[in-house]
Amino acid sequence: MAADISKFTYFLGTALDRFISENQKQFTYASGELSQLLRDISLASKIINREISKAGLTGIAGSMGEDNIQGEHQKMLDVISEFRFIATLRRGRQTCGIISEEQAGIIDTGNHNAKYVVAIDPMDGSSNIDVNVSIGTIFSIYRRISPLGTPATEQDFLQVGANLVAAGYILYGPSNMLVFSTGFGVNGFTYDPTLGEYFLSHPNMKFASKGEIYSINEGSYHSFSPQLQYYLELCKKRKYSARYIGSLVADFHRNLLKGGIYIYPSTKSHPNGKLRLLYECNALAFIAEQAGGKATDGKKRILDIQPYELHQRTPFFVGSAEMVDEVMEILERKM
Ligand code: AHG
Ligand code: MN
Ligand code: MN
């Protein structure tokens, strides 16, 4: 009788590499470069995962003691993640230019014949590093507008989000996940560190049309508009759950899986909110729409906003479609 080995095995989905190769023909310009770029991003995420998993031991969980170009406090992992990403994309040779939260201008990779530019938030939720709570990376990929053979220009990055070729995020949580879209739905991959591979664990991810979670930093309640305050009271009356990790990637991911809305609004002191259009909001708006959700700045679709500068900020309402519609309708009311 053959031995029953089922209890010694576990299900392994499609490996990321296989998924990328099998789906490459969907891309409009299927010459393999975008596939390679996605592989490079997954490689960078594995390297960063390795840094993060030993951060508490090697003393890199702390601060740089300096501010970045946004005037925000920089953590060591902000800098290390950015360095790893840039090095991997440079080596991968599919990206001519990069913009990052941590640097003012365009990073020239030297690969002037490459077709793509990448906008990244290398380490999102960095205030959570020191306390060992989930953090992330957000990436956006555009086809360049400038001619091949020249360095990337600002115009390559100042494209509406609707032009995105691919976007996604990496969540460094209890498990690592890579979630991305090339415009044909959203797929989520979970990392198996023992094999060094991502496996398809969440095929064809969809936002519930309506959820019962709202994610916002309610500590700033008194600087919100009366309309937004009204919406938050409504959430409480309906006994929605308030969930706010303080890492956009993690909050967004929770709502994608469970149904909900994430809000980072304008406030009295920050009329454009806090989050950055090019390397935070556009990517998540793209994922949200591909998953049947919505993303707006409270008035208009995020992916239709014409950027005018690399580090511009925008208010952000993203998540289950009916929830985003409802809050937009309330924001228009006279109060
Ligand atoms: P980053 O760490 O890349 O600067 O992003 C932090 C962002 C986002 O991840 C999070 O949702 C938000 O800042 C939290 O801001 P508040 O502390 O104002 O709530
Ligand atoms: Mn961020
Ligand atoms: Mn960041």
Side-chain angles (χ1 to χ4, degrees), residues 101 121 124-125 276 280:
E101 181 185 8
D121 177 357
D124 173 66
R276 277 59 54 110
E280 292 183 311

Side-chain angles (χ1 to χ4, degrees), residues 85-247:
F85 247 98
I86 293 169
T88 311
L89 294 184
R90 190 172 267 148
R91 173 76 184 81
R93 297 200 300 273
Q94 310 306 331
T95 311
C96 58
I98 302 168
I99 60 160
S100 150
E101 181 185 8
E102 307 302 328
Q103 292 193 41
I106 297 169
I107 300 151
D108 183 355
T109 61
N111 303 314
H112 297 164
N113 286 317
K115 283 182 193 157
Y116 296 103
V117 294
V118 175
I120 48 167
D121 177 357
M123 187 48 59
D124 173 66
S126 38
S127 69
N128 280 324
I129 295 169
D130 292 352
V131 290
N132 202 16
V133 169
S134 297
I135 44 188
T137 292
I138 307 173
F139 61 90
S140 295
I141 304 173
Y142 292 93
R143 276 179 78 81
R144 68 187 301 174
I145 292 172
S146 56
L148 285 178
T150 60
T153 65
E154 282 213 349
Q155 296 319 311
D156 294 325
F157 293 95
L158 299 180
Q159 301 191 50
V160 288
N163 287 356
L164 277 167
V165 171
Y169 59 85
I170 297 124
L171 173 64
Y172 310 98
S175 292
N176 252 29
M177 281 195 71
L178 169 61
V179 175
F180 74 94
S181 175
T182 53
F184 300 91
V186 180
N187 290 286
F189 298 79
T190 302
Y191 185 56
D192 181 335
T194 63
L195 297 171
E197 282 273 19
Y198 281 101
F199 290 93
L200 180 62
S201 52
H202 295 65
N204 198 19
M205 298 171 86
K206 291 284 174 211
F207 262 107
S209 59
K210 208 164 183 277
E212 298 193 344
I213 297 173
Y214 68 106
S215 307
I216 184 168
N217 186 344
E218 246 184 313
S220 302
Y221 184 90
H222 292 294
S223 58
F224 297 158
S225 68
Q227 289 84 348
L228 183 58
Q229 290 176 343
Y230 175 85
Y231 176 71
L232 297 176
E233 295 309 317
L234 209 56
C235 291
K236 286 193 255 270
K237 275 191 202 124
R238 292 174 182 164
K239 299 199 173 0
Y240 286 180
S241 291
R243 291 285 182 274
Y244 193 71
I245 297 161
S247 293

